Amino acid sequence: MRTKALEAEIAAVSEDAGAVTRGWGALASRKEPVISVLIILVMWQILSLFLPRYLVPSFATIIVSFVEIVSSSTLMVDTLRTIMRIFIGLGLSFLAGIIVGVLMGFSNTLEKYILPVLHFIMGVPALSWVIFAIIWFKPVELRVAFILLAGCLPNYSLIIHDGIKGISRDYYDMLRAMRPTRRQLFSKLVLPGMLPAVLTSWKVNIGLATRVVIVAELVGATVGIGNKLLLAQELFDMPKAVAWTLILVIFLLLTQYLLLLLERHLLRWRPSKEGGIQ
Amino acid sequence: MIPSAPVVQMEHVRHVFTSVDGSRFVAVDDLTLEVREGEIVSIVGKTGCGKSTMFNLLLGLENPTAGSITVLGRDPYQDFDFFRAKFGVIFQTDRLLPWRTAFANAKVGLEILGYSEAEQGEIARHWLHKLELMGFEDAYPHELSGGMRQRVGIARAFCLSPDVFFADEAFGHLDQSTAQRLREVFLTLIGETKKTCLLITHNIHEALEIGSRLIVLGKPSRVLYDVQCPTRASRAELVEFEERILDIIERNEPHHEAAARARS
């Protein structure tokens, strides 16, 4: 039982990931992505000639800001802090999510209790969690971690639960005929069987966490990309805002690419997707 | 000839499925049969006659609604763990774990038994070799043809050196020549092990080729006819035999011999 929104998100993510590999692997041989990016850049540059810097800054100013950030210590301090928050949040959510997902996968009773709660949590906007976090907790890191947990845990649980449910009963019966212990059944069937879902859940949540962490950082964090974006907004420093956003996007593309490499390695047993519907 | 011990006994087994809406479906009805040690028995019947249910009951994966089942003298459902590595099962679809290579699939049962890596490798390689799969050990299932996948499935079953073999439509989904070749291989290997074997099939030719005894199941599962397969029969006799079997399946009524036995 996947929600439509989640389904769409997963589809979008796998498409993204596909686009990323194709982009990296065949950038030289494929001109289409280069052309579409160039068109956007040219349009932006033309706009920047007519509009003030604080609305549409020219590339030159963006590049200057970017270089400024990259060459200063703030890049390391703020970016690393934000990335650390993302991974701590994801790690915690994953641990909790995998436990909840596995429990639901094994117990129909628990599934009935937990599933509606997860769907309810999924419906809560990220901004509401931000407000709850401010009211409930004082330490900034705790607030950020809580917001990420609330945002990412349901995804992890639902996708992993789905993955476990999707393991064919045929394999289960085949192994049971040999009388494995419960532990063997788990390590030889459930664990490898849910691996594709685990990887999907990471792909979905890396994107989600990167977006949510910025909002979470707006609530009292003095270090981090979210804080730097807020500062840029207060100073109407559009080049800085764009430059920081670029850094985030680069981070996201890079991690998604690494995840894809990992997936290719771990799921090398899967038939290649060639001959899909497109 | 000394009568050998019964390996499989089913007595008045009945199995009823109750669906969510409360409707009931009788898959197995008053099934009584016995298979003795070393026998190779083919079980034929129409698709949907509850053969697979019978299969699951024999494997102890389900508990019959009524009646008793003993395999190797024990109840496969109640004494579940007694049957560790006792069954060599070959399934309709190969049921190879897609994330394991041919080699890793073949040895999965040995892992469950807790054999050492070295022993696992040695035994698995031996059987992969017997099934002419050398050179394909590191291939994943999707890289193998249907026939080769089923060979891996057969190797997996033989690796355990089980006491009794069950094959459920094991060659049914393969093309004719592949199936024919694989049946020959399977028959040779079973002959070498001298183990008991139950083969479920809807293909009468296959049933006659592999089995030394033939049991015809009706729908729901019950014995319509139980007969020794003709050996050294003439072509005409074989045709006559096959027609008789087909006729029994079609009419779905016990053959007079089986009926007479049921009355006695």
Side-chain angles (χ1 to χ4, degrees):
Chain A
M1 264 222 326
R2 242 180 216 173
T3 58
K4 284 251 168 62
L6 183 56
E7 199 99 49
E9 174 114 15
I10 292 171
V13 164
S14 39
E15 212 161 274
D16 280 355
V20 170
T21 36
R22 261 175 273 133
W24 287 80
L27 204 61
S29 63
R30 290 224 186 141
K31 52 187 192 303
E32 293 89 346
V34 178
I35 290 174
S36 58
V37 169
L38 273 179
I39 289 173
I40 294 170
L41 293 185
V42 168
M43 279 165 64
W44 177 280
Q45 190 65 13
I46 290 171
L47 276 177
S48 74
L49 296 176
F50 300 101
L51 292 167
R53 185 185 128 107
Y54 65 85
L55 290 182
V56 182
S58 69
F59 290 125
T61 56
I62 293 174
I63 291 167
V64 168
S65 292
F66 192 82
V67 171
E68 223 170 81
I69 294 169
V70 172
S71 58
S72 69
S73 61
T74 173
L75 171 83
M76 282 336 232
V77 174
D78 292 287
T79 311
L80 279 186
R81 179 64 71 89
T82 297
I83 290 174
M84 207 182 69
R85 284 176 182 143
I86 291 175
F87 281 115
I88 288 177
L90 283 174
L92 288 176
S93 315
F94 179 62
L95 279 182
I98 201 167
I99 292 170
V100 174
V102 169
L103 284 177
M104 284 199 301
F106 279 97
S107 159
N108 286 330
T109 318
L110 280 178
E111 180 185 338
K112 280 179 205 149
Y113 280 103
I114 299 174
L115 217 49
V117 179
L118 289 179
H119 282 293
F120 183 84
I121 293 175
M122 294 264 295
V124 178
L127 201 58
S128 300
W129 292 119
V130 171
I131 289 161
F132 298 162
I134 296 172
I135 295 173
W136 283 342
F137 308 111
K138 190 100 181 65
V140 171
E141 298 306 327
L142 187 61
R143 285 177 180 173
V144 175
F146 170 78
I147 294 162
L148 284 173
L149 187 73
C152 298
L153 184 139
N155 275 346
Y156 276 125
S157 302
L158 289 173
I159 298 171
I160 290 169
H161 167 242
D162 240 27
I164 294 174
K165 287 270 155 179
I167 297 173
S168 167
R169 180 150 194 115
D170 285 355
Y171 298 138
Y172 177 75
D173 282 347
M174 180 274 292
L175 283 172
R176 293 243 306 156
M178 300 178 181
R179 299 339 194 219
T181 60
R182 287 178 76 89
R183 209 198 170 113
Q184 286 172 331
L185 209 52
F186 189 79
S187 68
K188 295 189 195 313
L189 180 63
V190 180
L191 223 48
M194 73 184 194
L195 190 63
V198 168
L199 287 162
T200 304
S201 71
W202 273 94
K203 285 198 277 185
V204 169
N205 276 342
I206 287 249
L208 181 68
T210 308
R211 276 168 284 159
V212 169
V213 77
I214 299 306
V215 184
E217 281 181 341
L218 295 180
V219 295
T222 50
V223 187
I225 296 179
N227 172 259
K228 287 293 164 291
L229 278 170
L230 192 64
L231 277 180
Q233 180 252 307
E234 282 165 358
L235 300 171
F236 275 80
D237 188 349
M238 190 59 179
K240 268 268 163 59
V242 174
W244 277 113
T245 306
L246 275 178
I247 288 172
L248 262 184
V249 174
I250 291 169
F251 161 77
L252 188 59
L253 288 179
L254 214 62
T255 43
Q256 279 183 339
Y257 179 62
L258 290 178
L259 255 180
L260 204 81
L261 289 185
L262 184 70
E263 184 183 61
R264 278 214 192 135
H265 175 72
L266 290 176
L267 304 185
R268 61 191 178 282
W269 48 268
R270 278 215 290 211
S272 61
K273 286 264 172 62
E274 276 166 46
I277 52 170
Q278 225 192 342
Chain B
M1 203 172 87
I2 312 150
S4 45
V7 171
V8 175
Q9 280 178 299
M10 300 182 91
E11 273 172 41
H12 304 291
V13 172
R14 183 178 164 80
H15 198 65
V16 184
F17 290 107
T18 311
S19 60
V20 194
D21 60 17
S23 64
R24 312 179 99 221
F25 170 71
V26 182
V28 178
D29 186 23
D30 198 25
L31 180 62
T32 299
L33 63 85
E34 189 176 279
V35 177
R36 296 188 162 270
E37 202 179 329
E39 268 191 310
I40 299 176
V41 179
S42 293
I43 293 171
V44 288
K46 267 190 188 161
T47 30
C49 77
K51 286 177 296 188
S52 294
T53 309
M54 178 186 144
F55 198 72
N56 284 345
L57 291 171
L58 285 172
L59 292 179
L61 301 176
E62 279 175 66
N63 201 15
T65 313
S68 77
I69 300 174
T70 19
V71 180
L72 303 163
R74 305 257 200 142
D75 184 321
Y77 186 82
Q78 306 295 341
D79 293 330
F80 194 79
D81 287 325
F82 169 78
F83 292 91
R84 193 154 239 244
K86 295 273 195 292
F87 297 141
V89 190
I90 297 145
F91 296 92
Q92 178 166 17
T93 50
D94 45 78
R95 298 201 190 179
L96 299 182
L97 297 171
W99 50 82
R100 282 176 172 251
T101 59
F103 176 68
N105 262 297
K107 74 188 180 79
V108 66
L110 301 169
E111 291 173 17
I112 288 172
L113 275 178
Y115 278 46
S116 74
E117 288 281 339
E119 288 169 306
Q120 288 173 23
E122 195 187 321
I123 299 170
R125 256 182 281 276
H126 169 76
W127 285 107
L128 288 173
H129 184 80
K130 278 231 167 202
L131 284 144
E132 293 162 28
L133 284 164
M134 294 315 275
F136 294 97
E137 298 100 320
D138 296 329
Y140 287 100
H142 80 265
E143 298 167 321
L144 298 171
S145 70
M148 288 168 91
R149 281 205 295 270
Q150 195 58 289
R151 280 169 192 267
V152 179
I154 292 172
R156 177 177 65 193
F158 277 90
C159 271
L160 291 170
S161 36
D163 296 300
V164 49
F165 284 90
F166 294 112
D168 180 15
E169 300 281 7
F171 314 102
H173 65 292
L174 301 172
D175 67 81
Q176 263 195 27
S177 63
T178 309
Q180 181 59 34
R181 176 84 191 88
L182 215 49
R183 275 196 287 268
E184 284 161 18
V185 171
F186 180 69
L187 196 56
T188 313
L189 293 178
I190 283 283
E192 284 172 14
T193 61
K194 299 187 170 59
K195 291 286 162 61
T196 315
C197 175
L198 246 86
L199 175 93
I200 298 178
T201 176
H202 64 269
N203 180 339
I204 296 174
H205 290 282
E206 182 171 299
L208 287 176
E209 192 179 331
I210 294 180
S212 54
R213 185 178 144 204
L214 189 107
I215 293 174
V216 182
L217 288 190
K219 188 176 175 178
S221 277
R222 67 207 152 102
V223 176
L224 298 183
Y225 192 34
D226 186 344
V227 65
Q228 291 298 318
C229 291
T231 46
R232 279 184 299 236
S234 71
R235 211 179 160 74
E237 281 169 327
L238 267 180
V239 170
E240 194 272 331
F241 185 79
E242 273 182 39
E243 272 171 6
R244 196 191 324 157
I245 303 294
L246 278 173
D247 182 55
I248 293 167
I249 293 175
E250 209 42 59
R251 281 189 294 128
N252 197 22
E253 275 168 25
H255 187 257
H256 53 84
E257 285 174 31
R261 202 174 308 162
R263 273 196 299 278
S264 66

